[in-house]
């Protein structure tokens, strides 16, 4: 009653949410509060909600018969104020703003600004409400997602408008933002960024003053991305406003999550800017097989280079010898005045059985030099001319994206999880990266049948993006490859893993080849076990035979991965359910099927999840830790079931990919060079040195100031620090880092 200076709590409710059963505290009860103590004053009423640290995306949308949100925060409906028993004010909380005041307030617990949210563009541009046949008009708290499935809806047009940002005195502007994008082309979902700049603060609050920061619209996903851009054209005024838009242009059978804006940073350039890049992996070289030599030479990589000082030259630098030497190839502009530069595939390095490393280098008109990746050549892009010598395993990356790490970040590619396990188990393998189906000029569905036939065992993993599922052509190819076991009497073993594959193949595509039912001995039950994190347990087959036979499958953010529940197809001999989702509510559901087709004589294992989501969850401390032990155990047992032999001795379970690690030298013995990979947990001095059997220092391979989680590789070419060739024999290499020292042996042969 003092104009909002102080507040008194008059009623309080607690919903235990996901920790309770059913977790619904009020269930639409009518609450009557006596506010007579405040009669005669300027009464203000507000509602405050506070949550714990559980993911809100785990809320269950329905709990019949109440049909309220089972684990939701709270919902307010039909608010009525009575004075002396007579209704004085009423809001049904559904018809828009009818008297509520929605002032932006400072966020608590973080340093940020509060954005204004609106839905549907009527109020922004015309000031009128929509007609009766249009969607409900936007209110202040209307979110841009359909609440049942967290997806955009037909005719969605949602805006997120920033408060005015003080940029007075800034001659230049640079912006960076971290955003989750889930706007695939086939759903007709798009997003865009609009900006306004003015000396009058009110002018950056009116959307009619905004203009498109870059003509056109964006789509893609799903993925997290960090974007950086120059906004110098909007500098020089006192105020800046941002307006993010997410919308769709036509009706679609399915929309997706739209846009999830994590953070935005805006700053000024204090020194002359270096060359800036937009280097997207969709425009990089693909993997090739030796029999595709003619098509390979037509492959191109494209990269966008912008610089306010002008771009003088862009070059592709490539290495076919693990980075010992690099060759520079000039790139050409895609067209006159274009920021896009094109490189032909470096044919001189693309020899059979070679992994080619490459990166881009640009020089601007005043001599600034930049590379992409920024820390090249320590980090680089790569493509491989397959097959290489020795491996009988092909790892097919049909995801091409990142997976969430145990610390909640997105720093690792999904393929890293599979490669790490295979290296620990001592298996040599080749890796084929399927080109993103949304890439320009993409005509690749994956390795062709001739390429597959180089290998006895295929590990094929994908994601829950429907453009990256096992498509018709890939199903036909895999069926032909499996039939080789009958026609050519060769071993054929297939591991198919990843989220939502069964749903996409069986439900969306209709499984035209009966690929799941007949060839994998597997049938689809349902999409997602339905919980935030669910234990994954062995079903008595022995695929997880350490600890208690169980680990956790944990979701990413902001979306819950769609794990498939799958079972043995009815009447199929030789198929067994090998893993279970153990659910807190409801019956357990099968999560994996092993199948031995005795007629054709091949074996398959089908998983309803990706192994990158296997983690251990400390429920007492609410902390994620790596499930590497379980991934190694599961994949090792699957390969043993396939009777696929390792190429070398297992190294044992090592620390996780962001932990302290010194790998075995490869090859070992070496001639003429060996590669050694490492990672360190803490910041500080990092050194890797080679010693002879007498303990004398031979070569310093690395001496740097490391950063937390730093990882990389070094190469020893058999020379000492003077550049002289070393004699054949046994050598030791040692890493020294804060809290970590390790020594391993390698043999030099000539």
């Amino acid at each position: 009653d003092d104009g909002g200076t102080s507040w008194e709590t008059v009623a309080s409710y607690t919903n235990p949410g996901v920790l309770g059963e059913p977790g619904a505290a009020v269930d639409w009860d009518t609450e009557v509060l006596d506010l007579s103590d405040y009669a005669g004053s300027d009464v203000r009423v507000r509602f405050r909600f506070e949550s714990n640290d559980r993911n809100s995306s785990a809320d269950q949308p329905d709990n019949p018969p109440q049909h309220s949100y089972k684990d939701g925060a709270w919902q307010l409906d039909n608010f009525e104020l009575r004075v002396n028993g007579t209704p004085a004010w009423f809001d049904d909380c559904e018809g828009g703003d009818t008297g509520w005041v929605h002032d932006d307030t400072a966020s608590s617990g973080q340093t940020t600004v509060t954005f204004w949210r609106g839905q549907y563009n009527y109020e922004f541009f015309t000031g009128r409400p929509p007609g009766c046949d249009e969607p409900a008009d936007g209110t202040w708290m209307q979110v841009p997602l359909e609440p049942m499935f967290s997806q955009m809806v037909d005719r969605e047009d949602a805006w997120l408008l920033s408060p005015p940002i003080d940029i007075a005195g800034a001659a230049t502007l640079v912006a960076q933002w971290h955003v989750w994008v889930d706007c695939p082309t086939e759903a007709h979902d798009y997003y865009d960024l609009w900006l306004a700049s003015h000396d009058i603060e009110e002018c950056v609050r009116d959307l009619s003053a905004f203009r498109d920061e870059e003509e056109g619209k964006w789509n893609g996903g799903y993925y997290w991305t960090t974007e950086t851009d120059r906004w110098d054209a909007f500098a020089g005024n006192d105020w800046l406003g941002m307006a993010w838009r997410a919308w769709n242009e036509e009706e679609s059978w399915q929309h997706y999550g739209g846009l999830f804006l994590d953070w935005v940073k805006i700053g000024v350039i204090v020194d002359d800017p270096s060359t800036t890049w937009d280097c997207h992996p969709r425009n990089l070289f693909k993997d090739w097989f030796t029999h595709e030599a003619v098509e390979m030479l037509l492959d191109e990589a494209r990269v966008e280079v912008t610089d306010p000082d002008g771009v003088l030259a862009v070059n592709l630098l490539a290495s076919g010898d693990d980075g010992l030497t690099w060759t520079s190839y000039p790139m050409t502009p895609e067209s006159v005045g274009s920021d896009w530069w094109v490189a032909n595939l470096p044919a001189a390095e693309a020899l059979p059985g070679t992994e080619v490393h490459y990166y881009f280098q640009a020089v601007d008109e005043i001599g600034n030099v930049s590379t992409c990746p920024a820390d090249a050549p320590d980090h680089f892009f790569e493509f491989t001319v397959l097959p290489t010598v020795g491996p009988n395993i092909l790892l097919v990356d049909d995801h091409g994206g990142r997976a969430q790490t145990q610390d909640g970040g997105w720093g690792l590619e999904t393929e890293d999880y599979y490669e790490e396990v295979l290296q620990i188990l001592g298996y040599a393998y080749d890796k084929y990266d399927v080109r993103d189906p949304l890439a320009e000029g993409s005509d690749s569905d994956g390795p062709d049948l001739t390429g597959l036939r180089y290998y006895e065992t295929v590990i094929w993993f994908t994601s829950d993006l429907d453009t990256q599922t096992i498509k018709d052509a890939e199903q036909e190819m895999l069926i032909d490859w499996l039939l080789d076991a009958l026609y050519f009497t060769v071993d054929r073993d297939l591991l198919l893993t990843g989220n939502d594959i069964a749903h996409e193949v069986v439900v969306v595509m209709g499984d035209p080849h009966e690929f799941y039912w007949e060839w994998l001995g597997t049938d689809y039950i349902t999409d997602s076990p339905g919980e935030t994190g669910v234990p994954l347990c062995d079903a008595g087959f022995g695929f997880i035979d350490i600890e208690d036979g169980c680990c956790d499958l944990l979701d990413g953010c902001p979306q819950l991965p769609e794990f498939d529940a799958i079972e043995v197809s009815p009447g199929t001999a030789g198929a067994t359910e090998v893993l279970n989702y153990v659910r807190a509510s409801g019956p357990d559901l099968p999560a994996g099927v092993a199948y031995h087709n005795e007629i054709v004589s091949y074996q398959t294992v089908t998983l309803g999840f990706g192994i990158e989501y296997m983690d251990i969850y400390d429920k007492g401390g609410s902390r994620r830790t790596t499930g590497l032990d379980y991934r190694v155990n599961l994949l090792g047992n699957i390969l043993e079931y396939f009777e696929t032999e390792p190429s070398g001795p297992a190294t044992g379970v090592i620390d996780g990919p962001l932990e302290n690690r010194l790998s075995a030298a490869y090859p070992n013995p070496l001639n003429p060079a060996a590669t050694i990979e490492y990672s360190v947990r803490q910041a500080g001095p990092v050194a890797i040195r080679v010693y002879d059997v007498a303990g004398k220092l031979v070569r310093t391979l690395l001496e740097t100031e490391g950063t937390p989680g730093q990882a990389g590789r070094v190469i020893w070419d058999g020379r000492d620090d003077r550049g002289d060739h070393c004699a054949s024999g046994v050598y030791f290499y040692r890493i020294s880092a804060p809290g970590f020292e390790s020594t391993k042996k390698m043999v030099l042969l000539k």
Side-chain angles (χ1 to χ4, degrees):
D1 59 358
D2 56 7
T5 302
S6 62
W7 293 87
E8 178 183 358
T9 300
V10 296
S12 181
Y13 310 93
T14 299
N15 186 343
V18 76
L19 300 179
E21 292 294 338
V26 177
D27 288 342
W28 297 113
D29 288 343
T30 299
E31 294 293 311
V32 179
L33 302 178
D34 187 354
L35 305 180
S36 299
D37 291 344
Y38 300 90
S41 61
D42 177 14
V43 179
R44 301 188 179 196
V45 178
R46 75 179 185 185
F47 294 85
R48 180 178 183 270
F49 164 69
E50 180 178 337
S51 71
N52 58 15
D53 58 0
R54 298 298 296 229
N55 290 341
S56 60
S57 60
D59 295 344
Q60 302 300 306
D62 198 23
N63 65 325
Q66 294 89 352
H67 298 293
S68 62
Y69 272 54
K70 176 180 176 182
D71 295 322
W74 50 264
Q75 292 173 289
L76 184 66
D77 195 28
N78 297 341
F79 187 92
E80 183 180 65
L81 180 65
R82 289 175 175 263
V83 178
N84 297 326
T86 302
W89 184 76
F90 175 79
D91 187 356
D92 62 5
C93 302
E94 296 160 0
D97 296 344
T98 58
W100 292 98
V101 176
H102 302 297
D103 294 327
D104 289 345
T105 56
S107 299
S108 60
Q110 54 187 330
T111 53
T112 182
V113 294
T114 301
F115 279 62
W116 192 96
R117 273 191 305 195
Q119 188 175 27
Y120 310 114
N121 61 346
Y122 304 103
E123 291 76 15
F124 283 117
F125 291 117
T126 68
R128 63 175 177 81
C132 295
D133 58 340
E134 300 291 349
D137 65 321
T139 61
W140 185 79
M141 287 302 295
Q142 181 71 48
V143 298
L145 298 179
E146 183 278 320
M148 184 67 74
F149 302 106
S150 295
Q151 295 171 343
M152 297 176 70
V153 298
D154 285 338
R155 296 181 295 176
E156 180 77 52
D157 200 340
W159 292 81
L160 185 68
L161 181 65
S162 78
I165 300 167
D166 187 351
I167 59 169
T172 61
L173 287 177
V174 62
Q176 188 175 74
W177 57 91
H178 190 222
V179 64
W180 170 273
V181 178
D182 191 14
C183 299
T185 306
E186 66 275 10
H188 308 291
D189 297 335
Y190 303 95
Y191 70 102
D192 200 0
L193 170 63
W194 293 50
L195 298 175
S197 179
H198 207 279
D199 286 334
I200 301 175
E201 180 180 353
E202 288 72 15
C203 292
V204 298
R205 295 179 181 269
D206 180 2
L207 203 67
S208 63
F210 283 68
R211 61 185 177 90
D212 199 344
E213 179 266 341
E214 181 179 332
E215 290 297 327
K217 56 193 176 186
W218 304 329
N219 57 18
Y222 64 98
Y223 48 74
W224 278 105
T225 181
T226 301
E227 302 289 346
T228 303
D229 202 358
R230 291 287 298 274
W231 292 348
D232 290 352
F234 295 87
N237 296 317
D238 290 342
W239 298 98
L240 177 75
M242 295 176 291
W244 297 83
R245 183 188 183 196
W247 80 101
N248 52 69
E249 295 184 339
E250 56 186 282
E251 296 184 359
S252 172
W253 69 274
Q254 180 179 2
H255 294 291
Y256 290 82
L259 206 63
F260 181 90
L261 189 63
D262 185 20
W263 52 256
V264 181
K265 301 176 182 178
I266 299 176
V268 298
I269 301 296
V270 294
D271 297 313
D272 186 80
S274 60
T275 304
T276 58
W277 294 82
D278 182 359
C279 199
H280 202 288
R282 288 180 181 169
N283 300 310
L284 302 180
F285 299 120
K286 58 165 286 188
D287 291 329
W288 294 93
F289 288 98
T290 52
H291 64 273
E292 300 175 299
V294 175
E295 298 94 331
M296 177 178 67
L297 296 179
L298 301 178
D299 198 7
E300 294 180 339
R302 300 169 67 250
V303 60
E304 184 180 18
V305 190
T306 59
D307 192 288
D309 296 310
V311 179
L312 180 63
V314 181
N315 296 301
L316 171 79
L317 283 87
S319 172
D321 55 11
D322 287 331
L324 292 177
T325 60
W326 295 87
T327 302
S328 179
Y329 298 89
M331 300 177 65
T332 57
E334 188 173 53
S335 59
V336 177
S338 173
D339 292 332
W340 287 92
W341 294 68
V342 180
N344 296 319
L345 183 138
E349 276 72 33
L351 303 177
T354 301
E355 179 181 276
V356 180
H357 302 170
Y358 65 98
Y359 65 94
F360 304 97
Q361 183 185 77
V363 182
D364 68 14
E365 298 285 0
I366 61 175
N368 290 318
V369 179
S370 292
T371 62
C372 178
D375 54 353
D378 292 337
H379 290 86
F380 46 80
F381 305 108
E382 54 84 16
F383 71 92
T384 307
V385 184
L386 302 170
T388 62
V389 178
N392 61 2
I393 296 177
L394 180 65
L395 185 64
V396 180
D397 179 3
D398 202 5
H399 183 192
R402 298 184 181 274
Q404 191 175 27
T405 58
Q406 67 191 56
D407 61 357
W410 293 80
L412 294 178
E413 299 284 343
T414 301
E415 66 185 33
D416 294 337
Y417 290 87
Y418 294 85
E419 292 193 74
E420 180 186 36
V421 171
L422 291 173
Q423 292 166 7
I424 290 171
L425 293 170
Y427 285 94
Y429 60 92
D430 280 343
K431 177 172 63 71
Y432 185 96
D433 291 313
V434 177
R435 192 198 295 265
D436 191 317
L438 300 180
E440 288 193 29
S442 173
D443 57 359
S444 172
D445 287 327
D448 63 11
L449 182 59
T450 301
L452 280 183
R453 282 175 169 160
Y454 292 118
Y455 307 92
E456 297 177 356
T457 301
V458 170
I459 301 174
W460 194 304
F461 65 93
T462 184
S463 71
D464 55 4
L465 183 64
D466 56 4
T467 55
Q468 292 170 304
T469 192
I470 307 297
K471 297 179 281 293
D472 280 356
E474 294 166 339
Q475 293 179 36
E476 292 185 49
M477 178 180 58
L478 285 170
I479 291 171
D480 288 341
W481 177 76
L482 292 172
L483 281 171
D484 286 347
L486 176 64
Y487 297 143
F488 302 108
T489 317
V490 294
D491 291 333
R492 287 292 182 256
D493 302 297
L494 172 66
L495 169 60
L496 186 63
T497 172
N499 300 347
D500 212 32
I501 305 177
H503 176 265
E504 291 295 331
V505 172
V506 177
V507 177
V508 178
M509 299 172 59
D511 202 1
H513 308 290
E514 294 189 345
F515 179 64
Y516 244 71
W517 180 283
E518 180 176 345
W519 294 95
L520 304 181
T522 303
D523 194 15
Y524 169 77
I525 301 176
T526 187
D527 203 19
S528 176
E531 294 166 352
T532 306
V534 58
L536 173 73
C537 296
D538 188 79
F541 199 77
F543 270 6
I544 300 180
D545 56 5
I546 59 172
E547 302 295 336
D548 59 356
C550 296
C551 69
D552 282 336
L553 289 173
L554 293 184
D555 67 294
C557 179
Q559 289 186 325
L560 182 70
E562 296 169 319
F563 305 138
D564 287 319
I566 54 178
E567 63 184 352
V568 172
S569 57
T572 302
T576 307
E577 293 166 6
V578 294
L579 298 168
N580 284 330
Y581 302 113
V582 180
R583 304 193 300 167
S585 59
D588 295 347
L589 293 173
V593 173
Y595 177 43
H596 179 198
N597 187 308
E598 297 181 356
I599 298 176
V600 182
S601 191
Y602 65 79
Q603 298 178 111
T604 66
V605 172
T606 308
L607 303 180
F609 58 91
I611 70 167
E612 63 271 20
Y613 290 100
M614 295 175 66
D615 282 299
I616 307 166
Y617 193 52
D618 174 10
K619 296 176 177 60
S622 299
R623 178 177 58 87
R624 294 179 67 158
T625 57
T626 178
L628 179 59
D629 289 1
Y630 288 89
R631 288 193 286 270
V632 170
N633 183 247
L634 175 61
L635 198 53
N637 285 324
I638 291 174
L639 292 172
E640 185 176 334
Y641 168 74
F642 287 159
E643 298 182 349
T644 303
E645 297 293 331
S647 304
T651 63
V653 175
I654 58 175
D655 286 337
L658 299 181
E659 303 290 338
N660 291 326
R661 175 192 176 196
L662 182 66
S663 76
Y666 182 82
N668 190 10
L670 64 102
N671 181 15
T675 299
I676 301 165
E677 296 182 343
Y678 74 94
S679 63
V680 294
R681 179 185 296 113
Q682 303 178 35
V686 180
I688 300 178
R689 297 183 175 93
V690 179
Y691 300 87
D692 61 20
V693 291
K696 180 181 177 181
L697 177 64
V698 174
R699 179 80 174 272
T700 298
L701 301 177
L702 176 71
E703 195 166 20
T704 186
E705 190 70 21
T707 57
Q710 176 174 314
R713 64 179 67 182
V714 295
I715 297 173
W716 186 44
D717 58 1
R719 299 173 184 265
D720 60 20
D721 279 331
R722 297 188 302 273
D724 298 332
H725 289 282
C726 297
S728 298
V730 176
Y731 292 84
F732 297 90
Y733 58 100
R734 180 179 183 82
I735 186 172
S736 298
F740 176 48
E741 290 189 351
S742 180
T743 303
K744 295 182 182 292
K745 181 174 69 174
M746 57 184 168
V747 178
L748 173 63
L749 295 179
K750 292 186 176 180

